[in-house]
Amino acid sequence: MDVLLAEGDADLRTLRRESLGYTVDRGMAGTGVVASLPGADPSRGIVLRADMDALPIQEANTFSHASCHHGVMHACGHDGHTTMLLGAARVLRQLPQLPGSVHFVFQPGEEGGAGAQKMIDDGLFERFPTQAVFGMHNWPTLPAGEFGLRTGPIMAAGVRFRITIRGKGAHAAQPHLGLDPIPLACSMVLQCQTLAARHKDPVAPAVVSVCMMHAGDTDNVIPDTAELRGTIRTLSSAVLNQLQDDIRRIGDGLAAGYGATIETEFFQYYPATVNTASEAALCEQVMRDTFGDHATHADVPPNMTSEDFGFMLEAKPGAYVLIGNAPRGETGVGLHHPAYDFNDDIIRDGVRYWVALAQAYYVGPRRR
Ligand SMILES: [Zn+2]
Ligand SMILES: [Zn+2]
């Protein structure tokens, strides 16, 4: 493989899908693309998944490869993920046939669009028989050349919520003639924090963030309504469900206590991204064999961000890993930041990981 990726080899970033010789399936989840490398037994298969979408952020970088689309940039490095998986598709096609198939899945809509679930709904696993799924994300706080993973939850489950508090408007100087929703909204915010701190198991991570609070239009009118919006992130669906029930109950209690109406709505986001033990162990062994023990962080802490690969991991065993993105000697700019940059120096390592993983899955890890 290293011969195939020798220095001076064709620039992976300029490859066109059509040039790789694959027949591609297009259209799942709208713009999803799947290229499959048939194995000796087509009933066996693994998914290697890259997300493709960008973010509605105005890029602050001025280098030549900055986004040329106003207000849209690859601030999460999904263009790099796509490039690395294209590289793996190219290399694996030139190697001897594997016992089972490798499905290269290029997925749209990770950033809030639940593209992974949509591809599953569109028949991904029926059209491409799959026993295990694997994903990878660049990670700016990890140095380039290093990898991280963990068994169990690596990213959080989340829901978004909207709480609408309806009281009764009045003159600011005559609050007794109305029902002021603003103190109730403030109480809701504080009680949400108490839930996270005092009502759930302290060793079960959870974040309840009220991120938007809106009420009123001027300084001498008590408004009719107040609205809160925010998100809950947890590492387990049980804790997520418990916190939703708790918030709803507190809203109902406050409403009853003050004679207001409080409507609590939850909008499903993503499940937790939970790595299964044997697949995570395989990925770890591939990292150690390919990049060395010093470059393998086998027990990174879970992160409270969310990732729609969690849907694929609810359906199939598998593992989601992190590839270091920080330039050597520097701290990488964070994901979703207007100055973020995918580090092209990690493309080669990402391709090597994917190729070694596919081989290890079917024929066992290479031993040093
Ligand atoms: Zn992102
Ligand atoms: Zn991302």
Side-chain angles (χ1 to χ4, degrees):
M1 184 195 70
D2 282 328
V3 173
L4 296 169
L5 276 175
E7 298 298 340
D9 203 355
D11 186 348
L12 290 169
R13 288 165 290 175
T14 65
L15 287 173
R16 293 178 300 126
R17 282 183 301 242
E18 293 80 3
S19 73
L20 301 183
Y22 283 86
T23 302
V24 298
D25 179 294
R26 297 168 194 268
M28 274 188 266
T31 54
V33 174
V34 183
S36 186
L37 181 65
D41 176 357
S43 71
R44 301 179 67 192
I46 57 171
V47 158
L48 308 184
R49 172 272 207 173
D51 39 16
M52 301 190 292
D53 53 330
L55 283 156
I57 296 174
Q58 178 60 43
E59 182 155 2
N61 297 308
T62 55
F63 41 51
S64 62
H65 62 279
S67 174
C68 53
H69 298 281
H70 184 78
V72 181
M73 77 174 279
H74 270 296
C76 210
H78 297 182
D79 51 346
H81 301 168
T82 296
T83 304
M84 293 188 289
L85 193 58
L86 281 170
R90 179 187 186 219
V91 173
L92 279 165
R93 194 176 162 76
Q94 298 173 52
L95 297 175
Q97 187 182 38
L98 292 168
S101 301
V102 181
H103 310 307
F104 302 94
V105 173
F106 299 91
Q107 179 217 297
E110 193 287 317
E111 300 287 0
Q117 182 62 55
K118 288 178 180 163
M119 289 192 82
I120 295 169
D121 293 344
D122 284 348
L124 174 66
F125 296 136
E126 288 75 36
R127 285 151 82 171
F128 299 95
T130 298
Q131 279 80 53
V133 294
F134 297 96
M136 175 164 62
H137 207 293
N138 77 94
W139 211 245
T141 53
L142 201 59
E146 300 184 15
F147 287 76
L149 82 167
R150 63 180 285 110
T151 297
I154 189 166
M155 286 197 186
V159 296
R160 293 174 294 126
F161 60 78
R162 177 170 61 204
I163 301 170
T164 308
I165 299 148
R166 294 190 176 85
K168 184 182 173 198
H171 192 291
Q174 298 172 318
H176 59 294
L177 299 181
L179 177 55
D180 190 348
I182 291 177
L184 299 184
C186 295
S187 180
M188 273 308 293
V189 173
L190 293 175
Q191 294 203 41
C192 282
Q193 305 317 305
T194 303
L195 285 179
R198 312 307 302 170
H199 277 246
K200 60 140 195 80
D201 183 341
V203 298
V207 174
V208 181
S209 288
V210 178
C211 302
M212 200 200 89
M213 189 172 186
H214 182 78
D217 298 302
T218 186
D219 54 16
N220 62 352
V221 177
I222 293 169
D224 276 322
T225 63
E227 182 179 299
L228 306 173
R229 292 198 199 187
T231 184
I232 310 172
R233 304 291 171 99
T234 71
L235 293 180
S236 88
S237 296
V239 176
L240 190 66
N241 292 335
Q242 179 200 333
L243 284 168
Q244 289 176 78
D245 290 345
D246 289 345
I247 289 175
R248 198 175 277 118
R249 195 178 61 251
I250 283 175
D252 290 347
L254 265 178
Y258 288 91
T261 304
I262 298 183
E263 183 184 9
T264 309
E265 301 166 278
F266 294 98
F267 307 94
Q268 293 303 322
Y269 193 50
Y270 294 161
T273 301
V274 183
N275 289 340
T276 48
S278 65
E279 285 70 23
L282 176 71
C283 294
E284 178 187 342
Q285 195 60 51
V286 166
M287 291 172 188
R288 292 189 188 284
D289 292 346
T290 311
F291 305 102
D293 293 339
H294 67 283
T296 302
H297 304 280
D299 196 21
V300 294
N303 200 281
M304 298 309 278
T305 55
S306 294
E307 159 63 64
D308 73 350
F309 194 70
F311 288 117
M312 292 201 183
L313 284 170
E314 281 192 331
K316 302 286 178 184
Y320 184 83
V321 307
L322 310 177
I323 177 171
N325 191 59
R328 310 224 183 252
E330 296 179 30
T331 304
V333 176
L335 301 170
H336 294 203
H337 189 281
Y340 167 84
D341 185 32
F342 182 84
N343 181 355
D344 288 358
D345 290 343
I346 71 172
I347 291 174
R348 184 183 168 91
D349 283 349
V351 174
R352 292 179 73 200
Y353 169 77
W354 280 135
V355 171
L357 176 62
Q359 292 179 315
Y361 184 84
Y362 286 119
V363 298
R366 177 170 61 90
R367 296 292 167 193
R368 282 173 286 170

